[in-house]
Amino acid sequence: MTLDTRRFYKACNPSKTLRGENESSDLYFVDLSPIRGRRLIDEFKQTITQARFQPTCQLFTAHIGCWKEIELRRLQVELNEQGFHIVYCNVGQDLELVDIEISDILLVIAGQVSESI
């Protein structure tokens, strides 16, 4: 069996983020919730929906390559279906992460909120 390097690179291209909008669109997504024993976004969704008219603050961290963005995208889709307005900010797309200050992050967030409204 020979390795098709072009196909392999296309499947593993680190510059292409999986969208997480639905499981069928993410051919390479592996659902780890059975191993974790729970679906992480369900915990966030429950907290957010129970506090519907109250602000909440959620912290979601993990090391690189743990599917954080895909999980958050799926949470975004599920909350949109329940009527929530979601503003998704990926600061890494808009800023040079080498030299960053909190004011830079706040400006990106303000710009994304303004654009979504």
Side-chain angles (χ1 to χ4, degrees):
M1 181 173 153
T2 59
L3 175 65
D4 183 350
T5 53
R6 293 177 111 184
R7 187 167 171 240
F8 178 79
Y9 181 77
K10 217 174 168 182
C12 302
N13 186 349
S15 65
K16 181 181 176 283
T17 302
L18 299 176
R19 299 290 300 168
E21 292 163 351
N22 63 53
E23 292 183 24
S24 64
S25 71
D26 295 333
L27 300 175
Y28 305 105
F29 176 75
V30 177
D31 183 11
L32 297 176
S33 57
I35 295 166
R36 290 184 189 125
R38 65 186 196 270
R39 208 168 157 248
L40 294 176
I41 62 171
D42 286 343
E43 295 174 25
F44 285 100
K45 186 169 68 173
Q46 181 179 5
T47 301
I48 292 167
T49 56
Q50 286 178 349
R52 188 170 188 104
F53 299 106
Q54 300 293 319
T56 67
C57 181
Q58 310 296 312
L59 177 63
F60 188 42
T61 64
H63 57 82
I64 294 171
C66 285
W67 305 92
K68 293 179 300 291
E69 186 169 355
I70 291 173
E71 295 283 354
L72 290 173
R73 290 284 188 181
R74 290 192 174 172
L75 176 62
Q76 176 184 13
V77 168
E78 291 182 21
L79 288 173
N80 277 334
E81 289 171 354
Q82 292 187 17
F84 284 84
H85 178 83
I86 309 298
V87 179
Y88 190 88
C89 293
N90 185 341
V91 176
Q93 289 179 335
D94 297 320
L95 295 176
E96 195 63 42
L97 297 179
V98 177
D99 183 27
I100 191 169
E101 295 187 23
I102 190 70
S103 58
D104 300 325
I105 295 171
L106 293 173
L107 285 171
V108 168
I109 292 170
Q112 291 291 326
V113 169
S114 174
E115 193 174 296
S116 80
I117 293 174

